[in-house]
Amino acid sequence: MSEIMEDGVSRRSVLKGSIAGAGALATTGILGAGTATEAHAAGKKVSVGSNQSDPAAKKNDAAWVAAAKKAGFDVKLNTVDHNTFQNQISSYLQGTPDDVFTWFAGYRMQFFASKKLATPIDDVWAKIGSQFTAGYKNASKGLDGKYYFVPTTWYPWAIMYRKSVFAAAGVDPKTIVTWADFLNACKTFKAKGITPIALGDKGGWEAMGTFDFINFRTNGFKFHMDLTAGRVKWTDPRVQKTFNNWKTMFPYQNTDTLDLDWNAAAQLVLQKTAAMQVMGAFHASIYTDPADLADLALFPFPEIEKANGREAVEAPIDGYMLSKGATKNAANAKGLAGFIGSTGYADAVLKVAPTALFANSKMPKPENAFARQQVELVQSCKYIAQFFDRDSRPDFASPIFSNAIQKFLGGGDSVAIAADLQKQWDALPSA
Amino acid sequence: MVTGKSSKVGARIAATILFVFSLVWLFPIFWTLLQSLRPYGDVLKHGSVSWPQHLNLQNYWTALVQSEMWKFFINSVEVAVPAVFITLFLASMVAFVVSRYSFKFNIALLMIFTAGNLLPPQLIFIPIFRLYLNIWVPGWINENNVLYDTQLGLVLINVAVQVGFATFVLSNYLKTIPKEISESALVDGASVWQHYYRVMLPLLRPALASLGVLMTTWIYNDFFWSVVLLKTGAKRPITAALSNLQGEFFTDYNLLAAGAVLAFIPTLVVFFTLRKQFVAGLTIGSTKG
């Protein structure tokens, strides 16, 4: 894909920019534990498989690889385009994988860890642990309690909107706290001829974000995690509550949801024909004009059940894992994993992606206003979800769940859809 | 008179239908070309279904140079060219034997070759993948010493997949060539090799050319095997370069359109170069009584 650089704003820089410092969940830590300094011997060879194929992401890779070289690592980078990398991951890991590879926190990581396709890195975490808060530590562990993952960057999901559109309609996003507030705001926009909520689900994954939010706002975070991991059945009546709450949003969504991908839906917000989109911070990537970008802001998804408040958020964490093949090159691979976990990595990436948000708690807070909003949003939350396709089984999220969501958006009966989902979950081979 | 008039009307109707269908076929190509010339900013401002305000070649430049599509094009050539030649060479030899010599397993042999083609790749890729992980190759081909993740492996799988169909087509074609030619060659004392190489192969040229065009297109367009059998991004073929143009979240469809146009140019070149033989290969044999 290409970066839209016409106005000097790269989407990735915006995206990555969001949360530095995830001082977010952070407490302080002990000093340094820099692993970078330990790697003195020149040219420790390590191969790294990367899905960072977007032009700006490639720059990030080049920056940290150069920094790693200074720290004594000779990194051989193998970049494969993002989508293929994901689709290929299973054969990649069972073949002759690179020592270190890019991956995601959550069940998606635990799935491969429990299949013994990853190398545990408790010894790496003994060195870098002090630089991460408890939230990141938990997100980096496999089901067996061992560490398998080094978190690097993240971005949150929220409701994206343009300040000018809200101002023109006389809606103050700060006053949108409860579900009733939210629907009232929607009504106001609709009366003014603006589509209140832009939703595209052509890809099948986009609307999962909306589902996740409504589900944990309705039934609580624990229920959501239990559901995505299969510990609660889809036939549970609470699932229907989620679907029913979503249906109250339907009159305010655009009607061609299945024809639009997230990008096309986001353009409706950019072009001011729609007011809001429930999206990841990468929504900003289509704003090529700095003036438009300055007009962009976000607010947290409204509360549905008082008991659950607005205490959970989706904030997928990206990072690195060690493949099972890394055991042949364990010392070097683990050394590099330590470097990736250190501020040496984050500093190098920050230089080329000033709005990136880092998991490392030692990184400073971002200067960009939109990025700061993202950090504050996540700081205000008690629970962090990774997004449906990272929290659930890979073979369930897509194509099973993505199809179900599309059916639901197409007007399908939610009871039948839920029953069908459970049937398909039961038919999956045991993980 | 009446028949003349009605046939004229018939011709008109046929022409109209043909015209409509050609529009249906040409429109997507035209649309791709148009979109490939539009900068993304223009689409963003006016929407994708609007008359373009700016047209330029920027997308082509970005695709070819910034995204380094040319490197992937070379990868594709390195796989497609050997694969097509080896396939045609092997298939023509099998076809020669099964159509010129009669022996007990003649038909069975041909059927085995053709039947192999009936298995879809989706069915056999897991065993192939496992197999490739267990086939040793020297270190200068692959530092991991396995056939997996090598372009050699990709050439071999393409040969294996295509050779069945090629054998089937070539043997049918050879059957249309009069036996007398073979007989006179034998009478003149040609060895089996001379019979194949000096007599039959030249006669096969039109069929080889048309098959060559088809195979080049198929192998060039292959995405499946390159995903299954390669893990190194830099070794992947042109089809993979097109997915490189799609972003993690955001895809610039104008750039992708430019990439698609660049990707289909080589197949057009191959087709137009071999067009004469291609058409001859399609029709030869059909007039035989």
Side-chain angles (χ1 to χ4, degrees):
Chain A
M1 96 129 239
S2 93
E3 194 78 316
I4 332 151
M5 292 288 293
E6 289 168 51
D7 298 288
V9 181
S10 99
R11 82 181 192 83
R12 236 325 157 83
S13 59
V14 175
L15 196 177
K16 285 276 168 161
S18 319
I19 294 184
L25 334 153
T27 32
T28 15
I30 312 154
L31 283 181
T35 38
T37 48
E38 290 162 23
H40 287 311
K44 291 181 176 174
K45 282 192 169 40
V46 190
S47 60
V48 175
S50 171
N51 62 2
Q52 301 292 298
S53 57
D54 293 6
K58 269 189 192 163
K59 267 182 223 155
N60 298 352
D61 266 0
W64 77 256
V65 165
K69 188 159 198 167
K70 277 190 200 137
F73 295 99
D74 183 5
V75 174
K76 200 175 114 200
L77 202 59
N78 170 24
T79 306
V80 172
D81 77 89
H82 204 273
N83 296 324
T84 306
F85 191 88
Q86 251 116 288
N87 295 336
Q88 207 184 14
I89 188 73
S90 192
S91 68
Y92 171 76
L93 291 179
Q94 293 177 64
T96 54
D98 301 297
D99 300 329
V100 179
F101 63 98
T102 48
W103 201 236
F104 315 98
Y107 195 85
R108 245 180 179 180
M109 170 267 289
Q110 294 167 337
F111 183 81
F112 292 112
S114 62
K115 290 233 180 289
K116 307 264 176 262
L117 291 169
T119 301
I121 46 170
D122 285 357
D123 39 354
V124 174
W125 272 88
K127 290 172 188 161
I128 61 170
S130 61
Q131 303 174 40
F132 294 90
T133 56
Y136 287 106
K137 284 183 181 162
N138 289 330
S140 303
K141 283 179 192 163
L143 294 170
D144 58 1
K146 290 182 188 157
Y147 286 102
Y148 286 95
F149 182 77
V150 180
T152 52
T153 52
W154 60 280
Y155 61 90
W157 280 62
I159 296 182
M160 307 287 153
Y161 71 97
R162 291 190 68 144
K163 294 178 219 163
S164 58
V165 173
F166 268 57
V171 179
D172 181 1
K174 285 205 186 71
T175 62
I176 303 179
V177 178
T178 66
W179 195 241
D181 297 339
F182 179 61
L183 294 181
N184 273 337
C186 288
K187 241 175 249 163
T188 310
F189 284 116
K190 202 173 180 183
K192 294 194 186 292
I194 298 171
T195 310
I197 302 156
L199 179 67
D201 195 42
K202 195 180 178 186
W205 59 271
E206 297 98 327
M208 289 179 190
T210 309
F211 173 85
D212 290 353
F213 271 114
I214 298 179
N215 194 35
F216 53 62
R217 291 281 191 268
T218 305
N219 297 312
F221 186 72
K222 187 175 176 299
F223 176 84
H224 179 67
M225 297 315 279
D226 286 346
L227 182 69
T228 52
R231 292 186 290 266
V232 175
K233 286 197 185 302
W234 284 89
T235 44
D236 190 297
R238 285 173 286 182
V239 173
Q240 289 309 313
K241 272 168 75 185
T242 299
F243 280 126
N244 289 335
N245 281 333
W246 195 346
K247 278 180 202 157
T248 60
M249 249 170 91
F250 274 19
Y252 305 111
Q253 285 168 187
N254 48 307
T255 49
D256 50 355
T257 44
L258 298 182
D259 300 326
L260 304 183
D261 58 10
W262 80 265
N263 184 337
Q267 285 188 20
L268 300 179
V269 177
L270 174 62
Q271 288 159 359
K272 303 188 177 185
T273 57
M276 305 172 259
Q277 187 183 25
V278 181
M279 243 310 121
F282 53 83
H283 174 93
S285 63
I286 64 159
Y287 289 62
T288 50
D289 186 336
D292 288 334
L293 194 57
D295 194 31
L296 174 67
L298 59 82
F299 67 91
F301 198 88
E303 171 187 306
I304 294 178
E305 290 293 331
K306 191 129 196 87
N308 302 320
R310 293 191 287 181
E311 60 189 9
V313 67
E314 300 231 70
I317 306 167
D318 294 342
Y320 291 82
M321 289 177 80
L322 264 62
S323 70
K324 69 163 196 299
T327 43
K328 277 185 263 168
N329 190 19
N332 291 357
K334 285 183 177 174
L336 185 72
F339 172 78
I340 289 170
S342 75
T343 50
Y345 169 95
D347 279 333
V349 174
L350 185 64
K351 269 181 203 136
V352 286
T355 53
L357 301 179
F358 296 97
N360 192 307
S361 62
K362 298 275 188 276
M363 294 300 290
K365 285 194 181 185
E367 285 166 23
N368 174 288
F370 186 58
R372 257 204 325 270
Q373 255 199 320
Q374 298 174 48
V375 176
E376 283 155 14
L377 170 73
V378 172
Q379 272 175 332
S380 71
C381 290
K382 232 202 252 163
Y383 302 109
I384 296 180
Q386 293 295 317
F387 199 73
F388 195 99
D389 65 357
R390 300 183 186 204
D391 285 327
S392 188
R393 281 182 66 149
D395 48 3
F396 181 75
S398 167
I400 298 174
F401 186 63
S402 57
N403 284 345
I405 287 282
Q406 287 181 332
K407 247 187 233 161
F408 175 67
L409 290 172
D413 169 35
S414 59
V415 176
I417 288 172
D420 199 37
L421 276 172
Q422 187 57 40
K423 218 165 69 193
Q424 296 194 65
W425 176 279
D426 293 337
L428 289 173
S430 54
Chain B
M1 269 308 167
V2 178
T3 52
K5 201 173 185 186
S6 73
S7 77
K8 236 181 208 169
V9 173
R12 285 237 174 103
I13 292 173
T16 317
I17 292 173
L18 286 175
F19 179 72
V20 169
F21 271 91
S22 68
L23 280 189
V24 170
W25 278 95
L26 288 174
F27 180 74
I29 297 172
F30 163 76
W31 192 250
T32 308
L33 278 172
L34 181 68
Q35 293 302 324
S36 72
L37 294 168
R38 287 183 82 174
Y40 177 71
D42 191 49
V43 174
L44 200 60
K45 221 174 247 167
H46 309 285
S48 54
V49 196
S50 59
W51 198 246
Q53 310 288 315
H54 305 279
L55 292 178
N56 60 39
L57 291 171
Q58 181 59 40
N59 287 328
Y60 287 90
W61 177 254
T62 311
L64 205 56
V65 180
Q66 271 180 28
S67 308
E68 300 186 311
M69 253 181 91
W70 60 273
K71 278 190 188 166
F72 295 90
F73 175 70
I74 291 173
N75 289 344
S76 270
V77 171
E78 281 173 9
V79 171
V81 170
V84 169
F85 276 95
I86 295 173
T87 305
L88 292 181
F89 179 63
L90 294 178
S92 64
M93 291 209 286
V94 179
F96 165 70
V97 170
V98 297
S99 62
R100 292 284 126 176
Y101 295 87
S102 63
F103 52 95
K104 214 173 178 184
F105 304 109
N106 186 323
I107 301 288
L109 194 63
L110 181 62
M111 277 169 71
I112 287 170
F113 268 90
T114 317
N117 235 47
L118 298 177
L119 291 176
Q122 287 81 353
L123 205 63
I124 54 171
F125 83 89
I126 293 173
I128 299 267
F129 169 71
R130 296 268 165 221
L131 203 63
Y132 269 44
L133 281 173
N134 284 304
I135 296 177
W136 182 90
V137 298
W140 55 270
I141 295 180
N142 182 2
E143 56 179 20
N144 288 312
N145 289 111
V146 290
L147 192 57
Y148 172 73
D149 196 36
T150 63
Q151 278 169 316
L152 172 69
L154 215 50
V155 170
L156 291 178
I157 192 67
N158 276 309
V159 169
V161 169
Q162 304 293 356
V163 89
F165 176 75
T167 305
F168 176 72
V169 171
L170 291 177
S171 69
N172 278 349
Y173 181 76
L174 271 179
K175 280 177 191 154
T176 67
I177 294 175
K179 277 221 156 59
E180 290 74 13
I181 296 179
S182 292
E183 281 161 5
S184 59
L186 293 179
V187 168
D188 288 343
S191 67
V192 175
W193 175 253
Q194 281 171 327
H195 181 190
Y196 161 74
Y197 189 74
R198 308 275 291 274
V199 181
M200 285 302 140
L201 211 49
L203 289 171
L204 266 177
R205 257 181 59 188
L208 288 175
S210 53
L211 259 183
V213 174
L214 281 178
M215 304 259 141
T216 309
T217 319
W218 287 342
I219 295 172
Y220 182 84
N221 281 335
D222 168 68
F223 182 66
F224 183 80
W225 289 113
S226 71
V227 168
V228 176
L229 298 177
L230 292 181
K231 67 141 202 199
T232 304
K235 290 180 187 171
R236 301 179 63 217
I238 189 97
T239 38
L242 289 183
S243 34
N244 276 338
L245 297 179
Q246 299 175 35
E248 177 178 358
F249 301 110
F250 167 77
T251 296
D252 177 349
Y253 285 101
N254 301 87
L255 177 66
L256 192 58
V261 172
L262 286 173
F264 77 54
I265 286 174
T267 47
L268 287 183
V269 169
V270 172
F271 174 75
F272 282 110
T273 320
L274 296 174
R275 184 176 50 168
K276 252 187 174 168
Q277 279 93 336
F278 185 75
V279 175
L282 285 180
T283 52
I284 272 185
S286 60
T287 52
K288 178 185 166 267

